[in-house]
Amino acid sequence: MHTVYIIYSPTIDQYFIGQTKDLRITLWQHNAKTNPATADGKPWEVKFTQQFPTRNEALSLEMKLKKKDRAHWEELINSTQPTV
């Protein structure tokens, strides 16, 4: 499974959108400052996830989300129920 995710940094008040095969490792990498695009944002918090059976499907949603604005992302985040 491939996961599209939106993470948020309260430190810099920014969102980051990506896709991964292992969200746990990816989140660790963002918080360990191994990704230059997110190095200044630690700590990152997962705000949205959606899983897909193929990477192509995940990439498609990732690209669509990246073309949207912050208001759209926050609406999406607020419209989804948290998973337990």
Side-chain angles (χ1 to χ4, degrees), residues 52-64:
F52 293 92
T54 68
R55 184 168 188 259
N56 282 343
E57 290 172 292
L59 285 170
S60 177
L61 178 60
E62 178 190 12
M63 292 299 110
K64 287 176 187 173

Side-chain angles (χ1 to χ4, degrees), residues 20-40:
T20 184
K21 193 160 174 94
D22 190 328
L23 183 59
R24 185 181 56 84
I25 291 172
T26 300
L27 183 60
W28 178 86
Q29 290 172 331
H30 286 299
N31 283 318
K33 300 183 178 184
T34 62
N35 182 337
T38 59
D40 293 336

